[in-house]
Amino acid sequence: YLKISKLALAFAIIHSKPPGKSSKEYTEYLAKTVSEKDFGWKWKVEVLEAEVLRLRQELLLNRISPRFCLENRKQDTSAETLLGQESVKPASCSSQLEDSGCDVCNDSAFDSLGTASDFHQSEHNVNTSKHWLERVPPLNFCHTSKEQSLTAPVHFLQRLLEIRKLSEGGILQADFSELENDSFTICNSVSQLLDGLTVFYNSPKFPSPSFLNEGVCVLISLITDTKLSNHVLKKCFKKMEEFKKNLIKIILRNRSINRFQALNSVSQMLGLLGKNNILRNSLVSLLLSEVRQFAEQLLQAHQAQSVYDITLYENMFLLCMVLEQLLQNEAQKSNISNSDYGGEEKIKFLKNLDEIILHLSDEFPLFSLYLWRVSVLLNSGQMQ
């Protein structure tokens, strides 16, 4: 039947082709026409899906705190005005990257992976619900650009965080158990945010757009909030794991000349994610695995006197710095030995490490030093 249908279609195209066009040209024209119609339908479907998600978000917020949504509807802020304004964000995330081309130390953007700890210090105290509601952006999901596709989930999650803050201060009553009943909405919102951040980290702009900094701040606030993080991570753990892996790939695969400033921003994002207790262990395991595999490859190349990937070697230092920072932070908090930290990857990392350091120390002293420092942290839980 399928063969007969294809043959019938071929005959129909041949008989209906206009004069002056070959059958092949006419077939390509028909295929292009159909694909354009499909694209139009796909765009309409995306718009409708976005509208459905927006309505579900409004409904979820209303279930969590009806008073918040009732007062928020009284505000008359248009989406067009919003997109042209600077969004409210913590002071620690307001800085924009400078494209120096080589400088990897931008203390004004992030404070040595310590931004997450500064969020609660830099946030404005909310005295009344009206003060926040005057600043709350309306939800708008009929987006046409990647900027707006990132802005939309950020606005929803901002409102969720502010409900949490206002409820903690006794200004609003909120029932966050509703998040358990609507996993679709929270999962899709967080997934859109993570996908949007991945897109911009893959193709960084300088200076860093404000909505990107705002997206980072919202994500970190979300996973460090004691009441919301469990809800979010329970629903979106796999997506968060995929996001961490994507960030590591972005660091290792970037081969552009002026890459260090952008990669420094990505590595700082990894460090901020590692401040969450649930995400930290898996992130340390991922970093240990990458550093160990590269160390073994570098040793093989050195022993065989063959060429090694110098760009990958340079990028690997960013992972080493993040790994050391995470282990140091954990050691300082616990101040005790963390023998189980890193699990199976820790065992693999420490196996034959002394031999690797011994053979690489003369040719690659800085990398060998990082390997040793990480091994000390893994063995003792703190720098000696």
Side-chain angles (χ1 to χ4, degrees):
Y1 178 78
L2 183 61
K3 290 181 179 179
I4 294 173
S5 299
K6 288 181 178 180
L7 187 61
L9 178 61
F11 275 115
I13 291 174
I14 292 171
H15 284 295
S16 62
K17 72 179 182 67
K21 271 193 176 183
S22 67
S23 298
K24 181 181 179 182
E25 291 173 341
Y26 187 53
T27 302
E28 292 174 348
Y29 165 77
L30 292 176
K32 183 180 178 182
T33 303
V34 172
S35 65
E36 288 176 349
K37 289 182 179 179
D38 286 344
F39 177 79
W41 279 109
K42 288 179 181 178
W43 181 82
K44 291 179 181 178
V45 170
E46 288 177 359
V47 171
L48 292 174
E49 287 178 342
E51 178 64 13
V52 169
L53 182 58
R54 184 191 68 80
L55 293 173
R56 293 190 65 148
Q57 288 179 337
E58 291 282 6
L59 181 61
L60 179 59
L61 292 175
N62 185 65
R63 286 174 176 172
I64 294 174
S65 181
R67 180 188 161 194
F68 177 88
C69 295
L70 180 64
E71 294 189 20
N72 188 55
R73 287 194 189 98
K74 298 176 182 178
Q75 307 307 315
D76 187 23
T77 306
S78 66
E80 291 78 8
T81 304
L82 168 72
L83 292 173
Q85 295 175 345
E86 282 294 326
S87 300
V88 175
K89 51 187 175 292
S92 58
C93 285
S94 62
S95 302
Q96 296 181 341
L97 296 177
E98 297 175 2
D99 186 14
S100 64
C102 61
D103 183 15
V104 296
C105 183
N106 187 3
D107 295 334
S108 63
F110 292 91
D111 183 14
S112 185
L113 306 183
T115 307
S117 63
D118 299 332
F119 274 110
H120 299 295
Q121 299 175 8
S122 60
E123 288 174 340
H124 298 291
N125 293 324
V126 180
N127 297 321
T128 63
S129 59
K130 183 178 179 182
H131 172 65
W132 163 249
L133 292 170
E134 289 175 350
R135 300 187 284 119
V136 155
L139 295 182
N140 177 28
F141 265 86
C142 296
H143 50 266
T144 58
S145 68
K146 63 180 181 179
E147 288 86 354
Q148 293 180 36
S149 67
L150 180 59
T151 303
V154 167
H155 288 171
F156 165 69
L157 296 172
Q158 277 179 330
R159 297 171 96 180
L160 193 62
L161 286 165
E162 288 304 320
I163 291 177
R164 162 81 173 105
K165 197 189 306 180
L166 293 171
S167 66
E168 191 177 37
I171 299 172
L172 285 176
Q173 290 185 349
D175 180 14
F176 289 98
S177 63
E178 289 293 337
L179 293 174
E180 295 287 344
N181 303 324
D182 193 356
S183 60
F184 173 86
T185 302
I186 191 70
C187 283
N188 273 266
S189 302
V190 173
S191 294
Q192 282 189 352
L193 173 58
L194 296 179
D195 289 341
L197 290 174
T198 302
V199 168
F200 280 98
Y201 278 129
N202 261 312
S203 304
K205 292 182 178 180
F206 295 97
S208 180
S210 59
F211 57 81
L212 178 61
N213 295 328
E214 191 173 1
V216 171
C217 293
V218 168
L219 177 61
I220 300 305
S221 295
L222 202 62
I223 66 173
T224 53
D225 187 280
T226 54
K227 199 172 188 73
L228 294 179
S229 60
N230 290 334
H231 290 290
V232 172
L233 293 177
K234 184 163 60 175
K235 307 293 184 183
C236 312
F237 184 76
K238 288 185 178 180
K239 189 68 179 181
M240 292 296 298
E241 290 296 295
E242 180 186 341
F243 180 59
K244 290 187 295 184
K245 292 177 181 178
N246 286 335
L247 293 181
I248 292 174
K249 289 178 182 177
I250 290 171
I251 291 176
L252 296 180
R253 294 177 180 178
N254 195 313
R255 311 187 73 83
S256 63
I257 297 176
N258 295 326
R259 67 185 182 277
F260 296 107
Q261 185 74 11
L263 293 187
N264 190 47
S265 176
V266 180
S267 66
Q268 288 163 343
M269 180 78 247
L270 279 174
L272 292 173
L273 292 175
K275 289 184 177 291
N276 180 272
N277 294 330
I278 298 176
L279 299 176
R280 186 185 303 114
N281 283 336
S282 60
L283 178 56
V284 168
S285 295
L286 285 172
L287 294 173
L288 284 173
S289 176
E290 292 291 345
V291 174
R292 174 185 59 82
Q293 292 179 45
F294 178 76
E296 292 173 351
Q297 294 169 8
L298 188 62
L299 176 60
Q300 292 176 5
H302 178 64
Q303 291 176 337
Q305 295 297 307
S306 58
V307 179
Y308 67 94
D309 190 338
I310 189 171
T311 302
L312 183 60
Y313 174 77
E314 293 171 346
N315 293 346
M316 190 61 62
F317 280 98
L318 291 167
L319 297 190
C320 290
M321 286 188 285
V322 175
L323 178 59
E324 183 186 17
Q325 184 71 59
L326 293 178
L327 294 176
Q328 264 185 334
N329 290 344
E330 184 64 19
Q332 289 170 0
K333 283 194 297 183
S334 60
N335 202 28
I336 59 174
S337 175
N338 261 324
S339 57
D340 295 331
Y341 207 72
E344 184 180 349
E345 283 300 331
K346 172 191 170 181
I347 298 173
K348 292 180 180 179
F349 183 86
L350 295 176
K351 184 180 180 181
N352 301 325
L353 184 64
D354 290 339
E355 181 183 351
I356 293 175
I357 294 175
L358 178 64
H359 286 89
L360 295 180
S361 56
D362 288 339
E363 190 72 22
F364 307 99
L366 183 57
F367 183 66
S368 300
L369 178 61
Y370 266 110
L371 293 178
W372 174 78
R373 288 159 67 98
V374 170
S375 69
V376 169
L377 288 167
L378 288 172
N379 281 319
S380 65
Q382 59 184 348
M383 294 294 292
Q384 300 294 333

